[in-house]
Amino acid sequence: MKLFLSTYNYKIDKKGRISLPASFRSCISEKKSTEIILFKSFKYKVIEGCSYSRIENISKRIEQLDIFSDEQDDFLTSIFSELQYVKLDSEGRFTIPDDLKEYANINNEVTFIGLGHSFQLSEPKFAIQRQNESRSRNLEQKRTLKTNLSKNKNEYSD
Amino acid sequence: MKLFLSTYNYKIDKKGRISLPASFRSCISEKKSTEIILFKSFKYKVIEGCSYSRIENISKRIEQLDIFSDEQDDFLTSIFSELQYVKLDSEGRFTIPDDLKEYANINNEVTFIGLGHSFQLSEPKFAIQRQNESRSRNLEQKRTLKTNLSKNKNEYSD
DNA sequence: TGGGAATTTATGGGCGTCAATGGGAAATTT
DNA sequence: AAATTTCCCATTGACGCCCATAAATTCCCA
C-alpha cells in the first residue's frame, strides 16, 4: 500500500460532496475499493480517515499483542464504535457525515493531511495551526528525533 | 541503491518541466519507479528530494514509536503532510509544485545537488553560495573531519 | 587506439486524458 | 410528491504520453 502524503485543500460543493485527492484514492485502491473509513480523532477536533484494510490490521494487532492496558483497550473500543463506512461515487467524491462535519467545524472547505497509513480532514485554518504546532514541537525536541531516526539505520539499505 | 552524487544545472521549460538528472534516475529505478518525493528542507530555503522507498523506511521507524503518543503524532503530521509525490514523465521530467518553487526561490533554472541518500534542488546562485560555505567550514575543521563525517551522516539522513 | 556509429540525454511541442468541480436526471426513500 | 442519494455527463485547466531534435556520451570495430 502506498502512503498517504502531502496536504490538499478542496471545496465541498452545493450537494455536500468533496473529492478524495487522487493520490489518496490510489492508496486505497488495491481492490478498486470504493470505500473509506472515517471517524472522529480522539485528540483533536479533526476527522481521521483511512482504508478498510488499515482497520483490519489494527484490529489484529489489538487481538494478538497484549500491549494495551484495559484503559487503552476501552479507549480503542470506543473509537471502533465510531467508525463509519463512507462510499465514494464514480468520480471519487464522498459526503462527510453531518456529525463528523460538526465535530471538526467543517463548512465549505476542507484540508486533507496525509499521515502515512491514515489521513486527516480538517478545517483549513485549524490544519495550518496544527502543522505549525507539530513542526515547532519537533524542532524543540530535535535530539529525540535524531536518535530515533538513526537508531535503526543499519536495518535499512537506504 | 546507488547514491545521489554530483551537481547538475538544468533549465525549466515553458511548460514548467525539468529533467531529473539521468544519474539520479538510476538511483530510484529499482522497480522502474516513476515517482520521486519532494519536500521543503527543514534547514535551508531549498527543496529536498528522495526516492519513495526512503520514505517507506522512515515510516517504519515512526511506526515503532508508541501509537497515539504526541511524539508519533507530531512526526506523522510534520513529516508526511509536507511530503509530495511527484511523477516523472516518460522522458524522466517532472514539474516542481508551486509552493516548493516559491519556498526555494526557483524560477527558470535549478541546481541539483547529490547528497548520497537524498538530493537537493535549489536556486543556482544560492547553491554555489551554500557549497562555498560548507567547503570553507570543512577546511576550517580539517582536523576533526573524520569524526564529523560520521556525525554528519545522521544529520543528512533525513 | 581512434573515429565513426549507435545510444542516451536534455529539451521542445502537440494532443489526449484525467482531475477537480458543477449540475441535471433517474432512482430511492420518507 | 418532496427530499435525498446515486448515476451520468459537462467543463476547464493541468498533466501524461507521444514524437522530435540536437548535443553529448558510450560503444564498437577496424
Side-chain angles (χ1 to χ4, degrees), chain B residues 10-11 13-15 17 19 22 25 91 93:
Chain B
Y10 285 173
K11 283 173 190 170
D13 70 19
K14 291 172 194 166
K15 292 167 114 183
R17 299 173 298 188
S19 290
R25 262 175 261 163
E91 272 73 43
R93 293 174 290 192

Side-chain angles (χ1 to χ4, degrees), chain A residues 22-155:
Chain A
S23 81
F24 284 16
R25 263 175 259 162
S26 70
C27 296
I28 59 161
S29 63
E30 284 180 8
K31 296 163 190 170
K32 291 198 177 178
S33 173
T34 57
E35 273 180 346
I36 56 174
I37 304 290
L38 294 184
F39 54 99
K40 296 174 190 170
S41 158
F42 73 96
K43 264 192 172 178
Y44 308 101
K45 291 286 184 183
V46 304
I47 301 168
E48 206 96 15
C50 64
S51 66
Y52 177 68
S53 62
R54 167 113 181 121
I55 299 300
E56 284 182 317
N57 289 339
I58 290 178
S59 171
K60 279 177 196 163
R61 280 167 75 176
I62 291 174
E63 281 168 26
Q64 293 176 0
L65 304 175
D66 208 34
I67 56 170
F68 295 98
S69 66
D70 286 343
E71 201 177 2
Q72 282 169 321
D73 204 59
D74 290 342
F75 210 21
L76 289 174
T77 307
S78 73
I79 288 175
F80 275 109
S81 72
E82 300 220 30
L83 299 184
Q84 304 193 29
Y85 288 105
V86 175
K87 266 190 197 167
L88 302 184
D89 72 13
S90 43
E91 271 75 42
R93 292 176 290 195
F94 63 98
T95 311
I96 306 173
D98 284 340
D99 58 328
L100 298 184
K101 239 168 152 174
E102 198 180 328
Y103 177 77
N105 277 307
I106 288 170
N107 288 314
N108 307 317
E109 239 169 316
V110 174
T111 296
F112 290 84
I113 294 181
L115 297 178
H117 293 290
S118 66
F119 60 90
Q120 281 179 356
L121 275 172
S122 63
E123 201 283 317
K125 284 175 189 165
F126 187 55
I128 293 171
Q129 185 188 320
R130 283 233 314 115
Q131 282 179 316
N132 289 338
E133 280 170 11
S134 16
R135 194 179 309 127
S136 54
R137 268 202 299 272
N138 264 346
L139 287 175
E140 282 165 22
Q141 298 166 7
K142 215 176 196 175
R143 275 174 43 193
T144 315
L145 166 65
K146 269 188 199 163
T147 313
N148 281 324
L149 283 181
S150 56
K151 198 168 60 184
N152 300 319
K153 205 169 189 202
N154 294 332
E155 287 178 22

